[in-house]
Amino acid sequence: MKSPGLSTGSTLLNLACSGHISWGLPKGSYCLFVGDTNSGKTWFAKAFLAEASINPTFADYRLIHEDVERGDKINTEKFFGKRLAKRVEMLGPQPSTTLEEMYGRLF
């Protein structure tokens, strides 16, 4: 049976996010990470996207990462694999400048 969501890689984080031990992020949703600069938001986001890139349940999903702080210097292929590097995309040539703009691009 296909999972209704994506595992965060942590049972406790899955439980905190969804109340389920095997998944934390619902399919077809988006997730906003809030925190100070250099707090690990991009690393978490790419780790979740990397999990989705190797999970057959998400083979037909678009994997979108918006680098709104414009500070993503992580070598995606080196740290998260070729599958994610090939599949991850932005919504435009530049990251959204407002949350409303990002929502508009998503829809």
Side-chain angles (χ1 to χ4, degrees):
M1 181 168 91
K2 291 187 176 184
S3 172
L6 180 68
S7 176
T8 65
S10 164
T11 301
L12 290 176
L13 188 53
N14 285 345
L15 284 167
C17 292
S18 70
H20 299 272
I21 61 171
S22 60
W23 63 273
L25 306 172
K27 287 196 305 189
S29 67
Y30 49 87
C31 185
L32 300 175
F33 294 95
V34 178
D36 292 335
T37 299
N38 294 321
S39 62
K41 299 180 302 288
T42 299
W43 192 268
F44 264 118
K46 285 196 172 183
F48 297 156
L49 289 169
E51 175 66 24
S53 76
I54 62 171
N55 186 326
T57 301
F58 297 91
D60 296 329
Y61 282 69
R62 291 175 66 192
L63 304 180
I64 299 168
H65 176 251
E66 280 281 275
D67 180 28
V68 296
E69 289 184 342
R70 293 164 177 78
D72 181 5
K73 305 291 189 263
I74 298 171
N75 182 327
T76 300
E77 186 173 331
K78 178 179 178 180
F79 291 106
F80 298 101
K82 290 181 181 181
R83 284 187 183 177
L84 180 59
K86 288 180 184 177
R87 287 189 59 193
V88 72
E89 58 183 278
M90 287 180 44
L91 294 174
Q94 295 292 322
S96 304
T97 57
T98 65
L99 194 56
E100 291 80 7
E101 181 183 352
M102 186 189 74
Y103 286 145
R105 288 178 177 187
L106 282 169
F107 296 106

